[in-house]
């Protein structure tokens, strides 16, 4: 009895029972040893601090007192003590600690420890744990337990195999010297640490943080003393759902209830006896502190990863290793409850963008984490988490009812109607919510693109000033989303159009006066710089005139409902733009009233004092502008619009010559295709179509009746430039060819000078063309005449296409006069020119020294002077020496030498050529055949060389025969003089030196 009384916890009885069981069944020893090792080295390794805290929390809960825990590691790292408040140690507790799987807390509601195995964690760090309460103390000793077990015969062999290691917690002892209980505490646990255990314990103590306080709500204070370095954690539960741990506020949401029985059918009996479940989420106001274990707490930390920004503490069933959640229906049930509680946690947070940080993504850190995420995300679209736009009561809406738009804040405010207006887009999230966040998508929020919203705005009925606010709000938005931005137009209709591109913004013009032109002006109250950046045009008078709608209105002005209104609007723009005449040639189509009351194109109206009224033919389709129109707008504006004071000038750019020739393009000019053909012929074949970059021409020349007056007008600016300035043709090579302008070409082909074409006249100066061309009429300057095609010189005429043919035709015209001296030069120039001509029917020839026009069939080309005596009465075409073959080919005429037999009928005496003549003809032959009388073909001739010999009769004949054979015909007279008087040679040579 004394021993029992001295052993308040009945440790002796517990030991005897265990030793008896081991002795009777050595397998039981082995089983207990293995179980303790599994707990200490497996599921509860590195858990001694957590398990001590859990036991302290349960003690405080059983005693219904504030839980306090002091964990102390001495400075040497030799002893860990844990002092706590709460229910003291009792016999049932000692028995539970010594049986490993029979908890004394099976009926304690809310107790954390449930299986009586957590204390086994101490075995990992100590061989002599002890516990003391006010009720007494208990201790365990590996040495004492080994001694007792060694006395059992059936255990000896197993103990030897285990090298003396025994399940020490199975053999409790009454504490001989129980540890001292600190003041204010009810129980103390003392753990002398094994060698090498101090580092692990120190690390566990350093890791104690708010998560422990939240997982064990029975604890209000945890004091940690590591070698005198003290740290205190406190938990203040100020109101439901708010816990402040160590100064940091945590929001909590909890759910609990009875566990349906069918969910426990696959769980152990001890678990089935505690048929309640609990889920708690804890979320710090400022985010999880660094180092907080990212694991599920069940309720103490497990090894199940949970990568969410909140702590989950739930009564998940654990696998035998005590570190992982056991799969099964109960876990499935708790996952669903945890997901619901997490959504409640989000609902408790302010409806602000930071809420999105709490929305779980789709990828989990482990299987349980992934299941939790899926469960939460399935609930989110139906959860009222997002703010109702502009709601003073702060109500919330479901994600599926919300719309997110990535747009400037001011634009979102306009769409949401936050300025007291009706909302344009319902359910629109306010500014600050990231429209492209994946978290919003997880909430079920419908994201719309700015371009789509902009496109739908066309159905919004708002005033121009509201649209101005829209443009201001979208100033910084991406332009590619604003292409269809609606814009209100000026005018009575005030209609909206999609897209600013091409719209006009009035600048110095009144949109109200331009309604007749069908222009699209932005309403003045809606004008904003954004519209310009999106393609609207800041339209002064010139820009308005450039609008296609104005051109269309001009082209259709005759068919307009009110042609006068169209004319009024267009002329107002022309006046304001200060256009030059012809600057916008299409204006000539504008319908304007004539003085006869009919409508005319502006380009067919003349000013009353226009000189064209007397120049043009009587049937020309011109009217005179109405007096009231002239008075209203003035001559300057009307001529700028195309009304004619003088000739109209056509201007164009990049005129395609091939297009003009093929009539695929037109400038509406008379014979423009023929001019294009002429130009293309001049420049020759090209690989790419040539074009005229800058084109100008005088119009309506075909309507002129009085050419003298017209030419005086054309000779003055601005029309003169269209004549005298050539056209430049751009070639594919990058070069430019210079050709006659259209106007110059057209005039050159018309009888405009004294009823004849300009090409029928010549300028004064080159007498080679005298008689063939008349002198051009007086009164016109030389530059103008040259541009018109008046002839300047024989060389220029032959250089011009068709010039050689024209010259040949005029030479064959008997009405023309050509002198004998002039004629040889003409034939020589023709022979030297690189030209081709049609063989003439008539030619101008020399007949016995007289110039006559003869039939070409009767003419011969003279190829040498020696045949002249044989050709009496024969028309001869004579050019300078050496041109006979070229001229005969050009004219298709026979050569004279080919038409005579050339038979020498008398014998000559071979004589030496006098030496004196060599000073004049150094290449003269050594000998010649002297004839008393030289007869060829029955005719007396002075000389002959066509048979290869030099025949001569007399001094003159010899001189000519030698000069011709030496191809120096010009030296014949000097040679004759030397032959007649050789002594006069010095004098004759000196005289010859004076020749030019």
């Amino acid at each position: 009895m004394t021993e029992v009384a001295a052993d308040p916890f009945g440790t002796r009885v517990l030991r005897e029972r265990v030793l008896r069981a081991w002795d009777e069944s050595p397998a039981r020893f082995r089983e207990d040893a293995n179980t303790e090792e599994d707990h200490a080295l497996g599921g509860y390794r590195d858990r001694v601090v957590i398990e001590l805290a859990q036991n302290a929390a349960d003690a405080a809960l059983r005693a219904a007192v504030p839980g306090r825990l002091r964990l102390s590691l001495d400075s040497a790292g030799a002893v860990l003590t844990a002092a706590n408040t709460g229910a003291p140690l009792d016999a049932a507790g000692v028995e539970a600690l010594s049986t490993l799987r029979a908890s004394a807390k099976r009926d304690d509601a809310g107790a954390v420890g449930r299986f009586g195995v957590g204390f086994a964690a101490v075995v990992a760090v100590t061989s002599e744990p002890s516990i003391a309460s006010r009720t007494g103390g208990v201790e365990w000793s590996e040495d004492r337990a080994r001694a007792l077990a060694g006395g059992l015969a059936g255990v000896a062999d197993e103990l030897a195999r285990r090298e003396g290691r025994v399940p020490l917690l199975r053999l409790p002892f009454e504490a001989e010297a129980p540890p001292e209980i600190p003041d204010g505490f009810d129980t103390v646990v003392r753990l002398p640490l094994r060698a090498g255990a101090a580092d692990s314990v120190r690390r566990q103590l350093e890791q104690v943080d708010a998560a422990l306080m939240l997982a064990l709500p029975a604890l209000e204070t945890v004091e940690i003393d590591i070698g005198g370095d003290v740290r205190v954690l406190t938990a203040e539960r100020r109101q439901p759902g708010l816990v402040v741990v160590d100064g940091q506020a945590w929001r909590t949401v909890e759910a609990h209830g009875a566990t349906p029985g069918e969910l426990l059918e696959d769980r152990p009996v001890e678990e089935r006896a505690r048929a309640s479940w609990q889920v708690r989420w804890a979320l710090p106001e400022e985010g999880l502190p660094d180092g907080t274990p990212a694991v599920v707490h069940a309720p103490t930390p497990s090894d199940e990863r949970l990568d969410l920004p909140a702590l989950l503490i739930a009564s998940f069933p654990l696998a035998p290793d005590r570190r992982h959640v056991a799969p099964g229906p109960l876990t499935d049930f708790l996952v669903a409850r945890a997901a619901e509680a997490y959504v409640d946690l989000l609902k408790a947070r302010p409806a602000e963008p930071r809420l999105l940080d709490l929305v779980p993504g789709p990828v989990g850190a482990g299987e349980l984490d992934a299941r939790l995420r899926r469960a939460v995300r399935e609930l989110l679209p139906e959860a009222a988490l997002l703010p109702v736009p502009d709601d003073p009561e702060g109500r919330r809406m479901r994600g599926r009812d919300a719309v997110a738009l990535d747009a400037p804040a001011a634009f979102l405010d306009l769409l949401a109607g936050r300025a007291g207006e009706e909302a344009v887009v319902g359910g629109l999230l306010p500014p600050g919510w990231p429209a492209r966040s994946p978290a919003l998508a997880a909430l079920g929020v419908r994201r719309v693109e700015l371009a789509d919203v902009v496109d739908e705005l066309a159905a919004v009925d708002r005033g121009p000033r509201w649209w101005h606010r829209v443009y201001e709000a979208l100033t910084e938005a991406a332009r590619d989303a604003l292409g269809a931005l609606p814009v209100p137009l000026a005018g009575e209709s005030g209609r909206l159009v999609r897209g600013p591109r091409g719209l006009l913004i009035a600048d110095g013009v009144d949109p109200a006066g331009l309604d007749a032109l069908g222009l699209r002006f932005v309403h003045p109250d809606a004008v904003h710089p954004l519209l310009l950046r999106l393609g609207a045009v800041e339209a002064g008078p010139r820009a308005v005139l450039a609008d296609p709608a104005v051109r269309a209105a001009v082209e259709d002005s005759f068919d307009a409902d009110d042609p006068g209104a169209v004319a009024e609007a267009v002329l107002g723009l022309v006046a304001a733009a200060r256009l030059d005449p012809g600057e916008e040639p299409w204006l000539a189509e504008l319908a304007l009233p004539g003085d006869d009351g009919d409508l005319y194109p502006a380009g067919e109206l003349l000013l009353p004092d226009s000189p064209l009224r007397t120049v043009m033919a009587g049937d020309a389709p011109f009217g005179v502008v109405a007096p009231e129109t002239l008075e209203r707008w003035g001559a300057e504006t009307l001529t700028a619009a195309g009304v004619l004071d003088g000739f109209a000038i056509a201007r164009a750019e990049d005129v395609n010559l091939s297009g003009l020739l093929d009539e695929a393009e037109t400038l509406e000019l008379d014979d423009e295709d023929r001019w294009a053909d002429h130009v293309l012929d001049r420049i020759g074949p090209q690989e790419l179509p040539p074009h005229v970059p800058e084109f100008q021409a005088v119009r309506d020349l075909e309507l002129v009746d009085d050419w003298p007056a017209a030419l005086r007008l054309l000779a003055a600016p601005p029309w003169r430039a269209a004549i005298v300035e050539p056209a430049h043709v751009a070639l594919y090579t990058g070069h430019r060819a210079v050709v006659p302008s259209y106007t110059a070409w057209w005039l050159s082909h018309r009888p405009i000078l004294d009823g004849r074409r300009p090409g029928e006249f010549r300028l004064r100066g080159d007498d080679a063309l005298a008689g063939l061309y008349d002198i051009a009429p007086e009164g016109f300057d030389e530059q103008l005449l040259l541009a018109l095609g008046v002839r300047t010189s024989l060389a220029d005429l032959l250089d011009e296409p068709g010039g050689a043919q024209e010259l040949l035709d005029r030479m064959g015209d008997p009405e023309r006069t050509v002198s004998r001296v002039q004629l040889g030069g003409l034939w020589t120039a023709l022979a030297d020119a690189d030209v081709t001509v049609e063989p003439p029917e008539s030619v101008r020839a020399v007949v016995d020294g007289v110039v006559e026009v003869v039939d070409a069939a009767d003419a011969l080309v003279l190829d040498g002077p020696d045949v002249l005596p044989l050709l009496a009465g024969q028309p001869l075409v004579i050019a300078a020496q050496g041109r006979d073959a070229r001229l005969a080919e050009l004219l298709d005429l026979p050569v004279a030498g080919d038409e005579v037999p050339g038979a020498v009928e008398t014998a000559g005496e071979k004589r030496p050529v006098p030496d004196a003549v060599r000073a004049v003809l150094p290449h003269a032959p050594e000998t010649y055949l002297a004839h008393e009388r030289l007869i060829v073909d029955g005719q007396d001739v002075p000389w002959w060389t066509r048979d290869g010999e030099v025949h001569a009769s007399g001094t003159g004949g010899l001189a000519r025969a030698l000069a011709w054979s030496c191809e120096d015909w010009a030296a014949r007279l000097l040679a004759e003089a030397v032959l007649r008087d050789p002594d006069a040679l010095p004098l004759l040579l000196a005289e010859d030196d004076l020749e030019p």
Side-chain angles (χ1 to χ4, degrees), residues 793-827:
S793 66
L794 175 59
D796 288 342
L797 176 62
L798 293 176
D799 282 341
E800 183 177 325
Q805 189 69 57
E806 181 178 312
L807 175 63
L808 194 60
D809 292 343
R810 285 181 169 266
M811 290 174 64
D813 183 358
E815 298 298 323
R816 303 290 172 181
T817 59
V818 179
S819 68
R820 173 68 184 273
V821 174
Q822 181 185 3
L823 181 60
L826 292 174
W827 286 127

Side-chain angles (χ1 to χ4, degrees), residues 667-682:
L667 300 170
E668 298 184 359
L669 297 171
D670 183 53
D671 283 345
E672 59 186 16
D673 57 329
R674 292 180 57 209
W675 173 73
D677 185 49
H678 168 76
V679 172
L680 292 171
D681 185 58
R682 283 183 64 113

Side-chain angles (χ1 to χ4, degrees), residues 4 13 28 161 202 237 304 329 435 578 657 717 761 855:
V4 173
V13 175
R28 178 66 180 271
R161 280 195 296 271
R202 183 179 291 106
R237 289 162 176 82
E304 293 287 357
R578 299 184 180 277
L657 293 173
F761 295 95
D855 288 340

